[in-house]
Amino acid sequence: MFHVLLYIVKSYVNILLKLNSESHFAKALDFFIYDSIKIITLLVIIIFLMGFVNSYFPVERVKNYLTTHKLFGLDYFMASLFGVVTPFCSCSSVPLFIGFVRGGIPLGVTFAFLITSPLVNEVAIGLFLGLFGFKITAIYIISGILLGTISGFILQHLKLDKLLTPWVKEVLMASKNNPNSLKEEPKSFIEKLPTIYNDTIKILKGVIPYVLVGIAIGGIMHGYIPEGFFEQYMNKNNIFAVPLATILAVPMYSNASGILPVVQVLVSKGIPLGTAIAFMMGVVALSLPEAMLLKKVMSLKLIGIFFSVVTLCIIISGYLFNVIL
Amino acid sequence: MKTIKILGTGCSKCKAVTDLVQNVVSENNIDAHIEKIEDIAEIMTFNVMSTPAIVIDGVIGIKGRVPSKNEVYELLTK
């Protein structure tokens, strides 16, 4: 259905603005208008749908589910899966972490949730669909869930509980006899609609500026950088490209909204998709501000181990992507 | 007099909730004392897992999201 849109945009740029359709500027402008309309449409749909799903999975219910069900090793996978449908604000990561661990959820399972939640969220899914299509979106979601599951499993088996900060241990000791279960009044779908609608608008208002800037940068690169430009430096044969891209990404702080439109152009100019997605995952999943927040509950050593394990898993999935695609 | 506590570590959502509550209180002349709680150890004593949260006279009203102005008004006047 977007082919029609592309045709309209191209005609508009060509005829009304009297631009040569082969000029750099026209190419950049085509890209910007077409991608903006397409991506914002998809974002509206996906954010609304995810808001609807999320209204059935508030973090408290997720915690209750994980504490009361015996999952025989599937805990990591379930926690990771919940991470996809339960977004949380990065400043909630500390209360959430303590809430989970206090509820008796193992550290590794908590990590599985904490890793997947920012990595696979409604905005990233909307952007992936718009920029890369259905197949790659599916691979991205699955690899995000596996990344959380595997990292959580590894972290659990490193026996890290002793590396929590002293006050967290105190909180945990003090609250053993203080159960907290979710009390909520049941609401029908119709009653939930206004809240979901309002949340959708709020999220959109928050991400659209970043998306537009990202698309604008992408548009400029699309129009002016020749095809295959990056291929000479970052091709599939360069085995250092994936780790390098991931490690470079860690100190950068951005969210999926700004980085993905740029990633798409990098891919079209010759960077292998696996390398580009490893870069994107590094930017989204591992950020220094998050490390600063987590310092309140974890020793530096534990944060270091956490980041190392996730970085390693991202690098491996980057290689896998390059092999599969 | 009501005691309103806003729990939040200081992200944009927490700030938005604080402004919202302050506006509702002053616009409607509600007799209330507003307290902003940023200390994570103190936040944890309320058993919330997602901030921002609004606590009115010790009862958690809203958590994990920015409510609408109407919601806050109903919460403060009921």
Side-chain angles (χ1 to χ4, degrees):
Chain A
M1 80 177 173
F2 288 111
H3 297 298
V4 184
L5 176 64
L6 182 62
Y7 179 77
I8 296 169
V9 171
K10 281 209 158 149
S11 318
Y12 175 80
V13 172
N14 293 347
I15 300 161
L16 290 175
L17 301 178
K18 295 196 170 42
L19 285 168
N20 176 358
S21 63
E22 290 309 307
S23 76
H24 290 314
F25 183 70
K27 277 185 182 166
L29 198 65
D30 273 350
F31 181 92
F32 180 75
I33 299 174
Y34 168 66
D35 263 35
S36 305
I37 298 173
K38 183 174 77 173
I39 287 166
I40 289 169
T41 313
L42 281 166
L43 279 178
V44 172
I45 300 167
I46 303 288
I47 293 175
F48 186 82
L49 286 178
M50 290 283 278
F52 171 63
V53 176
N54 176 239
S55 69
Y56 291 96
F57 297 99
V59 283
E60 286 80 4
R61 186 178 284 174
V62 169
K63 193 202 81 175
N64 291 346
Y65 181 86
L66 289 173
T67 36
T68 51
H69 287 67
K70 276 213 177 350
L71 294 163
F72 306 107
L74 274 177
D75 328 36
Y76 304 98
F77 176 73
M78 288 307 288
S80 195
L81 205 62
F82 283 131
V84 175
V85 291
T86 310
F88 69 94
C89 163
S90 69
C91 58
S92 287
S93 57
V94 172
L96 197 125
F97 179 87
I98 295 174
F100 269 45
V101 177
R102 184 157 65 181
I105 297 171
L107 209 53
V109 178
T110 307
F111 276 128
F113 181 86
L114 277 181
I115 294 165
T116 312
S117 192
L119 198 58
V120 186
N121 58 49
E122 67 272 42
V123 176
I125 293 175
L127 283 165
F128 256 94
L129 269 179
L131 296 168
F132 296 104
F134 183 75
K135 185 183 150 206
I136 290 173
T137 308
I139 295 175
Y140 153 72
I141 295 173
I142 292 167
S143 63
I145 293 171
L146 286 180
L147 204 67
T149 308
I150 295 166
S151 305
F153 183 80
I154 296 172
L155 288 163
Q156 178 64 27
H157 289 81
L158 293 175
K159 304 239 182 300
L160 303 163
D161 298 69
K162 55 185 183 296
L163 294 176
L164 295 169
T165 54
W167 84 259
V168 176
K169 289 181 194 158
E170 268 168 48
V171 171
L172 295 181
M173 293 298 285
S175 62
K176 280 272 153 68
N177 47 6
N178 188 4
N180 167 36
S181 49
L182 175 68
K183 295 172 223 73
E184 60 167 355
E185 61 270 55
K187 274 188 176 172
S188 72
F189 174 59
I190 302 294
E191 287 169 310
K192 278 176 178 164
L193 269 180
T195 318
I196 300 172
Y197 172 77
N198 285 333
D199 286 350
T200 306
I201 300 294
K202 268 183 205 138
I203 296 172
L204 277 175
K205 273 188 184 161
V207 299
I208 280 180
Y210 296 100
V211 172
L212 289 180
V213 170
I215 299 173
I217 295 172
I220 293 166
M221 291 168 68
H222 174 79
Y224 291 90
I225 297 178
E227 258 169 68
F229 178 78
F230 293 104
E231 215 154 8
Q232 43 189 314
Y233 310 106
M234 288 196 148
N235 50 45
K236 284 193 181 187
N237 299 322
N238 183 350
I239 51 162
F240 297 110
V242 173
L244 199 69
T246 312
I247 291 160
L248 280 176
V250 177
M252 290 183 64
Y253 182 59
S254 175
N255 40 29
S257 14
I259 208 91
L260 272 175
V262 178
V263 166
Q264 187 218 6
V265 177
L266 292 177
V267 169
S268 71
K269 302 292 179 194
I271 288 185
L273 193 59
T275 313
I277 289 178
F279 176 73
M280 173 258 161
M281 284 182 163
V283 170
V284 178
L286 301 166
S287 70
L288 291 180
E290 199 194 335
M292 297 309 290
L293 281 168
L294 291 176
K295 243 187 87 159
K296 285 177 181 156
V297 286
M298 302 176 200
S299 66
L300 274 179
K301 193 178 167 196
L302 178 50
I303 295 176
I305 296 172
F306 171 51
F307 270 43
S308 309
V309 169
V310 180
T311 306
L312 200 70
C313 288
I314 291 177
I315 292 172
I316 293 168
S317 75
Y319 283 126
L320 273 180
F321 259 118
N322 279 349
V323 172
I324 297 170
L325 298 168
Chain B
M1 189 170 91
K2 281 180 192 295
T3 309
I4 306 169
K5 287 180 178 164
I6 295 151
L7 318 179
T9 42
C11 63
S12 60
K13 278 190 192 172
C14 311
K15 214 183 150 301
V17 170
T18 313
D19 292 345
L20 194 66
V21 171
Q22 256 154 6
N23 282 341
V24 172
V25 165
S26 61
E27 277 169 24
N28 300 291
N29 288 320
I30 296 169
D31 186 22
H33 173 71
I34 303 172
E35 227 181 301
K36 178 91 171 61
I37 296 178
E38 291 186 356
D39 179 41
I40 195 79
E42 207 181 335
I43 291 177
M44 288 321 298
T45 62
F46 289 93
N47 254 335
V48 292
M49 286 205 299
S50 44
T51 54
I54 305 176
V55 180
I56 298 152
D57 293 329
V59 180
I60 300 168
I62 277 164
K63 58 186 165 186
R65 61 193 179 88
V66 183
S68 71
K69 211 167 181 172
N70 270 336
E71 264 182 286
V72 176
Y73 178 76
E74 279 176 26
L75 210 59
L76 292 180
T77 49
K78 76 175 176 198

